[in-house]
Amino acid sequence: MRIGCPHCGARDLREFMYRGDSAPERPDPEAVDALERFTTYVYLRDNPAAPHREFWYHSAGCQSWLVVERDTRTHEIRTVRLCQVGT
Amino acid sequence: MRYSGWALAWNAITGQKNWPTVWRHASPKDAYDVVIIGGGGHGLATAYYLAKEHGINDIAVLEKSWIGSGNAGRNTTIIRSNYLLAGNERFYEWSMKLWEGLEQELNYNTMVSQRGVINIYHSDAQRDAFARRGNSMRLHGAGGKLLDREQTRLLLPYLDFENARFPIHGALMQPRGGTARHDAVVWGYARGADKRGVDIVEDCEVTGFLISKKRVTGVETSRGAIRASKVAVVVAGSSSRLAAMAGLRLPIESHVLQAFVSEGVKPVINHVITFGAGHFYISQSDKGGLVFGGDIDGYNSYAQRGNLPTLEDVCEGGMALMPKIGRVRILRSWGGVVDMSMDGSPIIDMTPIQGLYLSAGWCYGGFKATPASGWCLAHLIARDEPHPAAAAFRLDRFASGRLIDERGAGAQPNLH
């Protein structure tokens, strides 16, 4: 598997670290149902057999956090973009 | 037919023409008391023990492919009960006890070989951790021996004891651990379940659940709807997909675990050996192939195949532990889709949908659990209360905080 880093180009899997599904969003700790929402945020995943948006960290390269859309059935990488706050 | 020396002799002189089919290829009926989704070792064991121990015989086991085509046929066949935490160890030790009587129980040669599982340690700190785990094993009746360097050398003289980076200080051994023949486990349970009236339906994929007022009433399949008031999901890496059909999200990610086998060589490795300074484990099959594996690849996957960095990492571990295997050629590699849970421990529980049961989160250790998983899930389905050995494997433990985190890695499935 090679991941096309926006800064470095297509690089080998060995250069990256995986941090999992990018979908969960940290809930508001002040919310009345914060406990339930945090349980969902920490533990529950969609885990699809389909295109999956996930965080990869280019640790042995430019050290950027990336959001990679990758098909979990084939490992085909569809899109790679830099991780930005609020996206 | 009961398999025996007499049966073997009789069939030899009658030209091997009278062996009966091991299990019927059943077509699904419209309704059953219990439907089990997943014809792997766990699903078939569940059906077997439901019929044998609880007198429930009106059961269908639905398998989308052929039985044993998933992880039951893709593992490294290791059996052991060498866990630390009480929630796990009690269960795995019960599984070990079932393994020890399995061939007599099933009248089927599952080739259970208690050749000993040896975990190597490489530092004083690791020795202390292993001693603690060994004490836990002994408290649960699993047995265990802490070997020092020279005792380890007597058993495994070919290890690289003088390795500069990972010197071998000793090992924790569970003499009762070992291996079993994975396909035979599937076939043995299938035969036993079939004999007790269970319908094993292959090429039957579940496409949805019939649910009415938060209560399951059956399943939709590629071969039509099947009604049942109790349905169990026993599908390993596909757990999240099935759960999604019932509107549930699980604390599980599916990952790929690779395993490897070498060309056949003469007997060289008599135990199951694990490297303590990386992730590498190895045993030798009766055909002579060295069967080995290591870490999961580490990213979500349903592909049943992995990438080369993991292969390299596994082989580096092997070379650090036993350089003599360096000239052996790898014959095959394969991947299985494993259901990694958020704390590294399994789930055998009811779900928020009445009549829907879940056995999942087996991570990369499901094979050794096969007998007890079936035993405990059958108990849960038949009595609607958890078996004491699996009482900690609750689905709600992630909300309640009663996690069973053997590795202490937190909610990070690719680290367990």
Side-chain angles (χ1 to χ4, degrees):
Chain A
M1 217 156 82
R2 285 163 77 78
I3 297 175
C5 172
H7 293 310
C8 313
R11 304 300 281 260
D12 190 271
L13 178 63
R14 291 169 184 79
E15 295 188 6
F16 297 87
M17 286 174 64
Y18 183 67
R19 186 58 182 86
D21 192 345
S22 71
E25 283 183 29
R26 190 178 175 81
D28 174 9
E30 304 298 330
V32 280
D33 56 351
L35 182 61
E36 195 185 330
R37 285 209 226 169
F38 266 97
T39 303
T40 301
Y41 166 70
V42 174
Y43 294 115
L44 299 187
R45 297 290 179 268
D46 286 336
N47 189 26
H52 183 240
R53 280 201 189 134
E54 52 201 24
F55 290 125
W56 289 83
Y57 176 58
H58 197 181
S59 55
C62 61
Q63 303 187 3
S64 298
W65 282 93
L66 309 175
V67 178
V68 176
E69 190 183 1
R70 186 182 57 95
D71 194 319
T72 58
R73 296 163 298 186
T74 60
H75 301 161
E76 180 205 354
I77 291 170
R78 300 191 166 193
T79 61
V80 182
R81 61 178 173 80
L82 291 174
C83 189
Q84 285 170 329
V85 176
T87 60
Chain B
M1 177 188 286
R2 191 176 163 75
Y3 293 149
S4 66
W6 288 115
L8 204 60
W10 172 250
N11 280 285
I13 55 175
T14 55
Q16 313 287 2
K17 288 174 188 155
N18 298 311
W19 292 109
T21 307
V22 180
W23 65 88
R24 294 167 291 125
H25 289 276
S27 292
K29 294 191 294 181
D30 292 340
Y32 291 91
D33 288 345
V34 178
V35 162
I36 295 166
I37 306 170
H42 289 222
L44 292 163
T46 304
Y48 174 82
Y49 290 120
L50 266 174
K52 170 127 190 297
E53 302 295 326
H54 302 281
I56 299 172
N57 302 79
D58 188 28
I59 303 171
V61 177
L62 308 182
E63 167 55 46
K64 75 173 175 186
S65 178
W66 67 87
I67 60 168
S69 59
N71 295 350
R74 290 172 169 268
N75 55 76
T76 48
T77 78
I78 296 166
I79 60 173
R80 58 186 173 88
S81 57
N82 57 358
Y83 285 73
L84 170 71
L85 301 178
N88 275 330
E89 182 59 3
R90 189 175 178 192
F91 171 84
Y92 286 107
E93 176 50 22
W94 175 233
S95 205
M96 199 66 210
K97 288 205 168 67
L98 291 172
W99 280 117
E100 287 176 325
L102 193 65
E103 287 160 350
Q104 290 71 29
E105 167 78 22
L106 296 177
N107 177 230
Y108 202 90
N109 185 8
T110 50
M111 294 167 68
V112 172
S113 163
Q114 294 181 288
R115 57 186 69 184
V117 170
I118 302 177
N119 304 140
I120 307 292
Y121 59 80
H122 304 265
S123 67
D124 291 348
Q126 196 170 30
R127 180 199 58 215
D128 292 348
F130 278 25
R132 182 175 175 228
R133 182 149 58 90
N135 285 335
S136 173
M137 290 157 59
R138 292 168 73 115
L139 283 170
H140 286 89
K145 289 196 289 193
L146 196 67
L147 309 178
D148 65 20
R149 188 182 160 98
E150 292 316 310
Q151 288 168 319
T152 308
R153 200 193 290 274
L154 275 177
L155 282 176
L156 310 169
Y158 50 83
L159 298 187
D160 185 6
F161 284 81
E162 314 306 329
N163 187 298
R165 194 163 167 212
F166 309 117
I168 291 170
H169 286 212
L172 174 64
M173 178 175 189
Q174 186 185 23
R176 290 166 63 230
T179 59
R181 171 90 171 95
H182 53 357
D183 294 324
V185 175
V186 171
W187 300 331
Y189 275 121
R191 174 169 170 265
D194 176 85
K195 203 160 71 179
R196 286 167 177 80
V198 173
D199 277 358
I200 297 168
V201 186
E202 295 172 287
D203 296 314
C204 181
E205 182 171 2
V206 170
T207 54
F209 291 94
L210 303 170
I211 294 170
S212 162
K213 293 178 187 158
K214 285 251 157 198
R215 196 184 166 89
V216 73
T217 58
V219 291
E220 296 274 11
T221 79
S222 55
R223 295 173 73 173
I226 302 172
R227 281 180 287 112
S229 56
K230 293 189 172 187
V231 176
V233 176
V234 194
V235 295
S238 295
S239 296
S240 296
R241 300 163 82 176
L242 266 288
M245 292 178 196
L248 303 173
R249 293 175 87 211
L250 298 180
I252 284 174
E253 285 183 4
S254 295
H255 285 256
V256 58
L257 174 65
Q258 301 189 67
F260 313 91
V261 65
S262 78
E263 59 189 332
V265 292
K266 287 184 178 180
V268 285
I269 294 173
N270 302 322
H271 310 86
V272 177
I273 306 168
T274 72
F275 183 42
H279 205 158
F280 171 80
Y281 46 87
I282 189 166
S283 64
Q284 187 168 18
S285 78
D286 291 342
K287 283 193 294 189
L290 304 182
V291 183
F292 58 99
D295 270 326
I296 58 174
D297 272 39
Y299 43 82
N300 291 46
S301 176
Y302 285 89
Q304 291 193 319
R305 65 174 187 275
N307 275 285
L308 283 173
T310 301
L311 167 61
E312 273 184 0
D313 184 64
V314 169
C315 291
E316 283 167 4
M319 288 302 289
L321 185 66
M322 45 178 81
K324 75 167 179 179
I325 64 170
R327 287 166 61 200
V328 173
R329 285 167 294 192
I330 294 176
L331 194 65
R332 288 185 292 125
S333 74
W334 63 94
V337 180
V338 294
D339 35 337
M340 300 300 296
S341 70
M342 284 286 177
D343 63 356
S345 295
I347 297 157
I348 301 179
D349 204 354
M350 299 182 240
T351 67
I353 293 163
Q354 223 183 333
L356 186 63
Y357 302 83
L358 177 70
S359 171
W362 292 100
C363 299
Y364 44 74
F367 178 70
K368 74 178 97 68
T370 304
S373 166
W375 182 281
C376 294
L377 180 59
H379 185 281
L380 178 71
I381 293 170
R383 303 191 186 184
D384 277 322
E385 59 186 53
H387 186 276
F393 296 160
R394 297 281 303 265
L395 179 57
D396 68 0
R397 70 176 183 267
F398 301 92
S400 68
R402 293 182 175 81
L403 303 177
I404 315 166
D405 192 342
E406 193 82 26
R407 188 122 177 231
Q412 191 64 0
N414 62 346
L415 297 184
H416 286 291

